[in-house]
């Protein structure tokens, strides 16, 4: 089953063409690595899939529906996206960050119910960040911060996880920890994962398929 189908997608910023004539299919339950040189449009592709931007031309289908026409909250209940650059408010703790992930499944003014709390605890345990719950995010190492952000994404209960360079700025040991976690999420939860990567060896080891952008 196709989770995403891109049909002749173009994206331009002003007069600058970033993506041209992209057509591809991403299947349910797979890990796809997006690789290519700097400036090729890898991040833009992730942004198209997450609906952060819309194609200048062409169509992005999500579960056979036009992604651009789907309600935001409906998309947020099944799709989580972590950009490479993220803003962290001063003093934000790990547990509070992860609690934000459950917001798409709640009414605007409702508090966490028991099911929400169970999912948040599962996300913290799955990413080995439960013991860091009360610590401000800014005090953690790069690898710990990345795990905390992934925990927040997991609290959305996503079927699809989009990651833009999840191992950037991490040393090799942390890179492998994060990639092992991503692969484990895919294998245990059948989660569909699309991630931008720079290291071809890591892409070959941890992805089912590789998309190369010129």
């Amino acid at each position: 089953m196709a989770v995403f189908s891109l049909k002749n997608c173009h994206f331009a910023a002003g007069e600058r063409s970033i993506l041209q004539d992209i057509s591809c299919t991403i299947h349910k339950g797979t890990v796809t690595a997006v690789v290519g040189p700097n400036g090729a449009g890898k991040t833009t592709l992730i942004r198209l899939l997450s609906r952060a931007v819309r194609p200048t031309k062409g169509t992005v289908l999500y579960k056979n529906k036009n992604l651009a026409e789907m309600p935001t909250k409906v998309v947020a209940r099944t799709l989580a996206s972590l950009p490479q650059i993220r803003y962290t408010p001063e003093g934000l703790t790990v547990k509070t960050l992860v609690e934000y992930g459950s917001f798409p499944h709640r009414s605007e003014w409702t508090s966490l119910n028991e099911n929400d709390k169970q999912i948040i605890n599962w996300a913290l345990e799955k990413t080995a960040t439960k013991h860091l719950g009360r610590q401000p995010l800014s005090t953690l190492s790069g690898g710990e911060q990345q795990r905390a952000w992934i925990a927040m994404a997991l609290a959305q209960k996503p079927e699809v996880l989009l990651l833009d360079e999840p191992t950037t700025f991490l040393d090799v040991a942390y890179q492998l920890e994060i990639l092992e976690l991503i692969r484990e999420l895919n294998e245990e939860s059948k989660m569909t994962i699309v991630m931008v990567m720079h290291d071809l060896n890591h892409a070959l080891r941890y992805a089912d398929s590789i998309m190369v952008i010129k």
Side-chain angles (χ1 to χ4, degrees):
M1 174 185 170
V3 174
F4 288 109
S5 294
L6 279 69
K7 299 183 178 182
N8 306 112
C9 285
H10 298 245
F11 183 80
E15 296 183 357
R16 183 188 171 212
S17 180
I18 299 175
L19 290 175
Q20 298 180 22
D21 198 26
I22 301 292
S23 295
C24 65
T25 300
I26 295 170
H27 294 284
K28 182 178 180 180
T30 60
V31 177
T32 301
V34 181
V35 302
N38 291 336
K42 301 184 298 296
T43 292
T44 300
L45 178 63
I46 292 292
R47 297 185 74 204
L48 283 176
L49 297 178
S50 67
R51 210 175 66 164
V53 297
R54 299 188 180 191
T56 309
K57 295 179 183 178
T59 306
V60 179
L61 296 180
Y62 178 54
K63 298 182 178 181
N64 296 318
K65 296 180 181 179
N66 190 330
L67 182 62
E69 298 174 354
M70 295 177 67
T72 299
K73 201 156 190 176
V74 170
V75 175
R77 285 173 177 165
T78 59
L79 188 154
S81 178
L82 287 181
Q84 182 182 351
I85 299 172
R86 300 182 284 269
Y87 169 69
T88 304
E90 188 68 30
L92 180 70
T93 66
V94 171
K95 188 172 183 182
T96 300
L97 172 71
V98 177
E99 287 174 352
Y100 288 159
S102 67
F103 185 75
H105 299 277
R106 291 185 276 151
S107 299
E108 188 170 356
W109 302 111
T110 58
S111 57
L112 296 169
N113 60 35
E114 282 305 311
N115 186 56
D116 295 327
K117 292 175 182 178
Q118 288 178 10
I119 292 169
I120 289 165
N121 283 331
W122 170 80
L124 289 166
E125 290 174 356
K126 195 67 187 173
T127 54
T129 53
K130 191 169 185 178
H131 67 291
L132 302 172
R134 295 184 179 180
Q135 291 195 35
L137 199 63
S138 58
T139 66
L140 306 183
S141 69
E144 290 170 335
Q145 286 191 27
Q146 189 67 298
R147 283 178 172 273
W149 283 104
I150 292 174
M152 184 199 72
L154 294 183
Q156 281 184 237
K157 299 183 286 188
E159 298 171 18
V160 179
L161 180 60
L162 307 175
L163 301 165
D164 189 2
E165 299 190 31
T167 59
T168 299
F169 308 126
L170 302 181
D171 62 33
V172 174
Y174 277 131
Q175 287 180 30
L176 295 178
E177 276 189 18
I178 295 299
L179 291 171
E180 290 288 348
L181 171 60
I182 290 168
R183 189 75 233 195
E184 187 178 308
L185 290 170
N186 164 257
E187 292 174 352
E188 291 186 359
S189 305
K190 307 303 179 186
M191 192 180 296
T192 305
I193 297 171
V194 184
M195 56 182 171
V196 172
M197 302 184 73
H198 274 296
D199 191 308
L200 285 176
N201 289 321
H202 288 171
L204 288 166
R205 178 175 177 179
Y206 290 100
D208 299 307
S209 59
I210 298 176
M211 185 186 305
V212 183
I213 303 181
K214 291 172 63 176

